[in-house]
Amino acid sequence: MRTRMTPLRPALALLGLAALTLTGCADQIRGAQGVAETSPVPAVGSGDAAGASRLDAIKDSGRLTVCTTGDYPPFTEQAEGSGEFTGIDVDMARDLAETLGVEVEWVKTSWKTLMDDYLAGCDIAVGGISMNPERAEQVFFTAPTLEDGKTPIARCEDAEKYRSIEDINRPGVTSIFPEGGTNEKFAREHYPEGELKTHDNLTIFDEIVAGRADVMTTDRSEVLYIDHEYEELCVVNPDEPFDYFQKGYMLPQGDVVFKHYVDQWLDIALNDGTYDEIARPWIGDVDLTLER
């Protein structure tokens, strides 16, 4: 079991002031537009012309509801038996809740049902989520947490065989991926000539080690972590990914007050050492930064 290292947050007082300021602004907007204090909070993903913010509802309820898949280390992982969630983004969500002065309520989701589950009732979704236009049609994203790109990983003795999309997109090469999400979309789009196989994401790399699949194309940040965890597996071309995208956290669409608050918290966490200290037990000295 990995234990989170408690980060120092010298900017906590500043964040508290920001929360009061943002909440005050939302109250002024409601007052100016004649909205009662007891007005219901809009559903996730809907804009609110009256100016109410999810920030108010979270503070009033004392709870931050977080959607996460629990199957994508180092960002989110759920322990068998206890059901406890751990990971970089899991601890970041806990840090956000602590800053807000509320508790976390976890909602287990999957990559296939992530958007539906989020829209059904989560305040934020975390766990190595790729930012893309399809998702942005329904949600806001925070400022990026990480730059990334799709990169192959294979058994070390075979890694040189899969240096390009053309190398992987051929008969006899089995690409493996979890059902739903961007990895499946990438594989089906780019490897139509190869063999495609779906598998549970938590044990998916064991399938490659066992020889039941040849390669997985997934996010560079994930393969760098897996390369560190599995001596049998090696990342291919980590600094030359097949594409480019960013990761972030999903927020309610149209709620600029809540997004502004979370972006301020995130900017401080990414620059005062909080994120790095949370990530260190998971990735050690591995640098997830994509050099471009």
Side-chain angles (χ1 to χ4, degrees):
M1 182 67 66
R2 297 176 176 86
T3 302
R4 175 187 170 184
M5 300 171 62
T6 303
L8 297 176
R9 298 194 316 285
L12 183 58
L14 178 61
L15 285 171
L17 179 60
L20 291 173
T21 302
L22 287 168
T23 304
C25 289
D27 290 339
Q28 291 175 7
I29 292 172
R30 286 196 300 274
Q33 297 184 348
V35 179
E37 290 295 326
T38 57
S39 296
V41 177
V44 176
S46 65
D48 181 16
S53 171
R54 186 60 56 87
L55 182 64
D56 301 307
I58 292 167
K59 286 184 164 292
D60 288 346
S61 69
R63 182 178 68 251
L64 178 71
T65 306
V66 182
C67 274
T68 194
T69 63
D71 67 349
Y72 187 21
F75 301 104
T76 175
E77 185 173 15
Q78 187 176 31
E80 293 184 12
S82 69
E84 180 185 4
F85 287 100
T86 57
I88 296 172
D89 286 349
V90 167
D91 277 345
M92 286 291 286
R94 289 192 177 106
D95 189 81
L96 172 60
E98 183 178 341
T99 301
L100 286 162
V102 300
E103 300 295 322
V104 175
E105 179 178 310
W106 300 105
V107 175
K108 174 68 179 293
T109 185
S110 69
W111 294 108
K112 188 174 182 179
T113 65
L114 172 62
M115 185 60 70
D116 288 342
D117 290 340
Y118 176 73
L119 295 176
C122 289
D123 300 312
I124 187 170
V126 307
I129 300 172
S130 300
M131 303 164 65
N132 59 43
E134 293 81 7
R135 287 170 175 161
E137 289 179 357
Q138 300 184 72
V139 299
F140 272 175
F141 275 101
T142 61
T145 58
L146 196 65
E147 293 183 303
D148 217 330
K150 296 297 184 189
T151 306
I153 188 167
R155 291 180 297 277
C156 292
E157 63 268 25
D158 296 330
E160 290 300 311
K161 297 179 181 179
Y162 308 121
R163 298 184 63 85
S164 68
I165 289 176
E166 292 73 22
D167 291 338
I168 301 171
N169 183 34
R170 53 189 177 86
V173 176
T174 300
S175 292
I176 194 167
F177 45 83
E179 187 178 10
T182 59
N183 289 338
E184 178 176 13
K185 181 179 179 181
F186 187 93
R188 294 196 182 281
E189 178 180 347
H190 291 91
Y191 308 140
E193 302 302 320
E195 308 298 325
L196 303 180
K197 179 180 180 180
T198 61
H199 193 77
D200 169 68
N201 206 38
L202 278 177
T203 60
I204 200 165
F205 296 100
D206 296 332
E207 294 295 292
I208 303 176
V209 172
R212 292 186 288 269
D214 298 309
V215 61
M216 180 174 176
T217 305
T218 184
D219 301 351
R220 175 183 181 273
S221 54
E222 182 179 23
V223 299
L224 289 175
Y225 167 74
I226 295 299
D227 180 86
H228 179 72
E229 293 289 301
Y230 285 78
E231 63 179 19
E232 303 94 338
L233 302 180
C234 290
V235 59
V236 183
N237 297 336
D239 295 320
E240 298 177 14
F242 293 155
D243 61 4
Y244 171 84
F245 53 87
Q246 298 169 322
K247 292 186 183 298
Y249 306 147
M250 288 165 45
L251 299 174
Q253 191 174 69
D255 194 336
V256 295
V257 174
F258 187 41
K259 174 173 165 55
H260 182 58
Y261 180 91
V262 177
D263 279 347
Q264 283 192 329
W265 157 80
L266 182 58
D267 185 57
I268 293 171
L270 290 172
N271 287 282
D272 74 350
T274 297
Y275 186 91
D276 290 340
E277 194 162 356
I278 286 173
R280 192 170 298 118
W282 286 88
I283 61 174
D285 295 328
V286 175
D287 186 2
L288 298 181
T289 305
L290 176 61
E291 298 293 338
R292 293 191 299 127

